[in-house]
């Protein structure tokens, strides 16, 4: 048996003999102790009383004060005692023992004998530990590995996750357990794709709980857990399309696309929507398009995002019927006889129309028609015309008619106006002698009417009711338009113009060419005429110079002909409008953004003829005194 011994130099000695037994389930040890004393060969010694004890961790567990007889052999003092101590939670325990004997004056050799020492008890096996966890996805197997101290120990394994507390996974578990977290547990993390779970292992010796060990793990929501939707529903917005047609028509139909059956998965909620298709897009659960501008199969894609950030998409299509307005490919009209044979002086009119369109599967009828109008008259009612078949109808030979041909469908019509002249004559007098016509019938009183182009070899003079003359005169050099007066000899001169003269000039439709200038002359006589240039085609936004200019003098060709300029700057989305004043060209501009912020631009130069000398070109922000120098890249003449 183990013992603690103290030997003294005078031959005396004292010891504690002890033994230890353990209760594993209670985490306790019982220590049994006996005190012994002996002396040298000059003994024995005895007396009727003494003072002796055994202490464990500072507390007396045995006290003896009776008689004793001590010789050279070990003598037991008092009684054998046992004391139960509880180990630490990890199963370890160290105790302090002390033995004491005093003969109370019998002999100094037996006074104050003391033995002390620390005894480390055998560690009692305690709770097993969670050694490891493999697997981390909800709905998939997860294995818990257990490291146990005693092979006979068993375990209960528990699982906690969110509001799930201490769900029992298994009893009488040895060194491992495999379990599958149910998919419903995804609902414990509705706003995240993972969360922290706790695995706890309780260790048992038989039915007695020894202790616990736990481990936190990260559980992930499977990637397959995404929001869902039934699909996309479509509701037509017909507009001009009759509801009974039940079709979508290009440029005439709109549609509302709506996400249906959108739902989160295992506790998540839908946070955002988007739909796109047909050239339109939106960020709500429904989208109403503008007019559908393409024909054929039009795909729409819907997307939803849940509170975990997971998405789901679906695509669905609608069919849009191709449509374009009717086309009137031929509209031909001429005078004829009653049988439709062409005659210049016919009292009938032959009209042939060819037209086409999109009948949308027979739902959209394409029809032709016409109506007529005499000059200064009103329109007749609309009459039908078959496609490609001539229509013969009476037409007064004395009247010039406008025939309006029409091709129409449900959505609208296209028209073309044809002019059919009155019957052809070289010259015709109006009945009553009040009108005359050339190349046509005379239809109007007090009017000379011609269906031919006219050429006048001399000027044209007109006189109003007051006797004032107006003229269009070409004198071989200039074309004069205005009022007339005569000199003392009675010769007609281009004279003073007291009214307005309107002059229109443009580009020749055939050649695409035009004159460079339009001049207006304001004379008192031909010899005194002063011509003023009213417009020069070069005056309209001409680029005069390009390059890189931030200092010095440059030549800007043609700039002496302009007063207002556009200044372009390097790297800027803004241009400057500048004007001449004295010897300066100065201008500025600014812009505001939606931040908001305001930026100002400034330009200044001096000029002499076509020579420009740089003064400044810069920008600054509102409220700032700092100027940013900018390079000029282009100069345009405007006016």
């Amino acid at each position: 048996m183990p013992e603690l011994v103290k030997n003294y130099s005078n031959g005396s000695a004292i010891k504690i003999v002890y033994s230890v037994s353990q209760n594993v389930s209670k985490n306790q040890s019982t220590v049994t102790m006996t005190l012994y004393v002996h002396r040298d060969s000059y003994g024995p010694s005895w007396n009727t009383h003494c003072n002796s004890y055994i202490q464990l961790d500072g507390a007396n567990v045995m006290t003896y004060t009776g008689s004793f007889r001590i010789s050279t052999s070990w003598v037991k003092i008092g009684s054998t005692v046992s004391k139960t101590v509880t180990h630490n939670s990890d199963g370890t325990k160290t105790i302090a023992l002390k033995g004491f004997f005093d003969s109370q004056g019998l002999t100094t050799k037996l006074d104050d004998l003391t033995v002390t020492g620390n005894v480390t008890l055998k560690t009692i096996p305690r709770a097993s530990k969670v050694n490891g966890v493999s697997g981390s996805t909800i709905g998939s197997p997860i294995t818990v590995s257990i490291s146990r101290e005693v092979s006979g120990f068993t375990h209960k394994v528990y699982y906690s996750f969110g509001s799930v507390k201490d769900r029992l996974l298994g009893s009488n578990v040895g060194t491992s357990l495999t379990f599958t977290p149910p998919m419903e547990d995804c609902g414990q993390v509705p706003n995240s794709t993972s969360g922290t779970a706790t695995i706890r292992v309780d260790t048992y010796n038989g039915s007695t709980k020894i202790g616990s060990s736990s481990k936190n793990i990260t559980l992930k929501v499977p990637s397959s857990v995404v929001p869902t939707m039934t699909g996309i529903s479509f509701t037509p917005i017909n507009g001009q399309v009759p509801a009974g047609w039940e079709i979508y028509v290009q440029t005439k139909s709109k549609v509302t696309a709506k996400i249906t059956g959108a739902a989160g998965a295992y506790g998540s909620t839908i946070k955002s929507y988007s739909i796109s298709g047909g050239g339109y897009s939106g960020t709500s659960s429904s989208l109403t398009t503008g007019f559908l501008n393409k024909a054929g199969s039009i795909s729409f894609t819907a997307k939803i995002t849940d509170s975990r950030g997971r998405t789901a998409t679906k695509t669905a299509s609608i069919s849009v019927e191709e449509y374009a307005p009717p086309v009137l490919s031929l509209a031909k009209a001429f005078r004829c006889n009653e049988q439709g044979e062409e005659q210049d002086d016919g009292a009938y009119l032959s009209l042939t129309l060819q037209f086409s369109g999109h009948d949308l599967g027979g739902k959209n009828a394409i029809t032709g028609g016409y109506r007529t109008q005499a000059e200064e008259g009103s329109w007749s009612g609309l009459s039908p015309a078959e496609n490609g078949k001539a229509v013969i109808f009476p037409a007064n030979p004395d009247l010039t008619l406008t025939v309006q041909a029409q091709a129409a469908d449900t959505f609208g019509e296209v028209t073309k106006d044809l002019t059919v002249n009155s019957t052809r004559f070289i010259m015709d007098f109006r009945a009553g002698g009040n009108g005359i016509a050339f190349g046509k019938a005379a239809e109007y009183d007090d009017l000379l009417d011609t269906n031919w182009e006219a050429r006048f070899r001399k000027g044209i003079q007109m006189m109003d009711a007051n006797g004032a003359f107006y003229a269009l005169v070409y004198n071989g050099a200039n074309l004069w338009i205005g009022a007339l007066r005569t000199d003392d000899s009675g010769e007609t001169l281009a004279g003073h113009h007291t009214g307005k003269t309107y002059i229109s000039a443009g580009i020749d439709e055939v050649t695409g060419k035009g004159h460079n200038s339009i001049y207006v002359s304001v004379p008192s006589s031909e010899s005194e005429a002063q011509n003023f240039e009213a417009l020069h085609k070069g005056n309209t936004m001409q680029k005069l110079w390009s390059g890189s200019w931030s200092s010095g003098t440059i030549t800007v060709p043609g700039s002496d002909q302009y007063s207002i300029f556009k200044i372009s700057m390097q790297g800027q989305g803004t241009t400057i409008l500048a004007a001449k004043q004295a010897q300066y060209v100065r201008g500025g501009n600014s812009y505001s953004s939606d931040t908001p912020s305001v930026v100002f631009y400034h330009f200044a130069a001096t000029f002499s003829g076509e020579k420009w000398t740089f003064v400044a070109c810069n920008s600054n922000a509102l409220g700032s005194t700092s100027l940013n120098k900018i390079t000029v890249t282009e100069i345009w003449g405007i006016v």
Side-chain angles (χ1 to χ4, degrees), residues 132-144 178-179 181 197 199 216-220:
V133 179
S134 63
S136 60
T137 304
I138 297 171
S140 298
I142 294 176
T143 299
V144 180
T178 298
F179 75 102
I199 304 297
N216 290 336
I217 63 171
T218 298
L219 278 185
K220 300 175 183 177

Side-chain angles (χ1 to χ4, degrees), residues 407-535:
D409 65 3
T410 303
F411 307 108
E413 66 279 332
V414 293
T415 61
K416 183 176 183 179
D417 289 349
L418 308 172
T419 299
V420 179
N421 292 315
S422 58
T423 55
R424 294 181 180 176
F425 299 93
I426 296 176
M427 183 173 65
D428 186 42
F429 293 94
R430 177 78 168 161
N434 294 327
I436 187 171
F438 295 92
K440 64 183 294 294
E443 303 176 58
Y444 306 102
D445 292 334
D446 301 322
L447 181 70
L448 186 153
D449 191 6
T450 178
N451 191 40
W452 295 334
E453 291 185 358
R455 176 179 297 168
F456 296 91
R457 309 251 177 200
K458 299 292 184 178
I460 300 173
Q461 298 183 15
M462 294 155 281
M463 184 173 65
D464 63 15
N466 297 318
F469 282 93
Y470 301 88
L472 175 64
V473 179
Y474 179 68
N475 67 2
N478 298 292
L479 180 66
W480 297 83
I481 302 173
L484 298 178
R485 69 177 179 83
T486 58
D487 61 13
D488 294 340
S489 66
E491 183 180 354
T492 301
L493 297 175
H496 298 291
H497 185 194
T498 59
K500 296 180 179 178
T501 298
Y502 296 91
I503 302 175
S504 174
I507 301 299
D508 187 292
E509 294 182 357
V510 177
T511 65
K513 298 180 179 179
H515 293 291
N516 287 345
S517 303
I518 296 174
Y519 289 88
V520 176
S521 180
V522 185
S524 59
S525 68
E526 280 192 63
S527 61
E528 299 170 358
Q530 297 182 33
N531 297 326
F532 298 91
E533 186 178 24
L535 178 66

Side-chain angles (χ1 to χ4, degrees), residues 372-380 399-402 444:
T372 62
Q373 181 188 48
E375 288 186 348
E376 300 181 2
S378 58
W379 287 105
S380 68
L399 298 178
T400 296
L401 296 178
T402 298
Y444 306 102

Side-chain angles (χ1 to χ4, degrees), residues 260-308:
T260 60
Y266 293 106
S268 71
T269 55
I270 303 301
K271 292 298 184 182
S272 65
Y273 305 82
S274 68
I275 307 178
S276 61
Y280 303 94
S281 62
T283 55
S284 63
S285 59
S286 66
L287 168 69
T288 297
T289 69
F291 287 110
L292 300 167
N293 293 317
K294 293 184 179 180
S297 179
I298 306 299
S299 295
F300 287 79
T301 299
K303 180 179 179 180
I304 57 175
T305 303
D306 70 1
S307 53
R308 293 190 182 101

